[in-house]
Amino acid sequence: MKTTLDFEGELKDKLVSLTKKTGLPLEEVVERAVRLGLEKMNPSGPIQKKPYQQRTYNIGIHAGVNIDKALALAAEIEDEKIDGVEISRR
């Protein structure tokens, strides 16, 4: 990536001084300074996301309820509520 940077005052003087001391071109001095600065800002290295972990809940086992057919059960309960009849399934 190419970009234009404007350095003034003390920062400019330090960069010029480093180019003279090291014999490196200004671009290299700036790149090294930015790399070091970024490492100090994030000393642990690249940001790593935590692996996704699905939360699970123990819903228990209810007598007479086949959890393998949960969608059918949900549809049945929904139909009962629509008809105005609510039955507790415990």
Side-chain angles (χ1 to χ4, degrees):
M1 172 176 89
K2 292 208 176 245
T3 189
T4 301
L5 301 171
D6 293 321
F7 299 108
E8 297 178 5
E10 185 181 341
L11 183 56
K12 176 185 168 188
D13 295 339
K14 285 182 179 181
L15 287 169
V16 170
S17 175
L18 278 171
T19 59
K20 289 178 182 176
K21 281 183 188 176
T22 61
L24 295 171
L26 180 61
E27 292 169 352
E28 181 69 24
V29 172
V30 170
E31 185 174 336
R32 287 184 182 189
V34 169
R35 284 183 190 277
L36 288 171
L38 289 174
E39 286 175 13
K40 275 191 172 183
M41 291 174 72
N42 187 16
S44 62
I47 296 173
Q48 295 186 359
K49 293 181 183 179
K50 283 180 149 182
Y52 179 76
Q53 186 173 10
Q54 177 68 45
R55 289 187 202 171
T56 59
Y57 300 93
N58 183 359
I59 60 171
I61 297 176
H62 300 284
V65 177
N66 182 354
I67 60 171
D68 292 333
K69 299 186 179 188
L71 290 176
L73 177 62
E76 183 181 325
I77 292 171
E78 183 178 1
D79 289 344
E80 290 173 359
K81 286 185 179 184
I82 291 172
D83 291 340
V85 178
E86 288 193 33
I87 299 173
S88 175
R89 296 195 180 267
R90 290 191 185 208

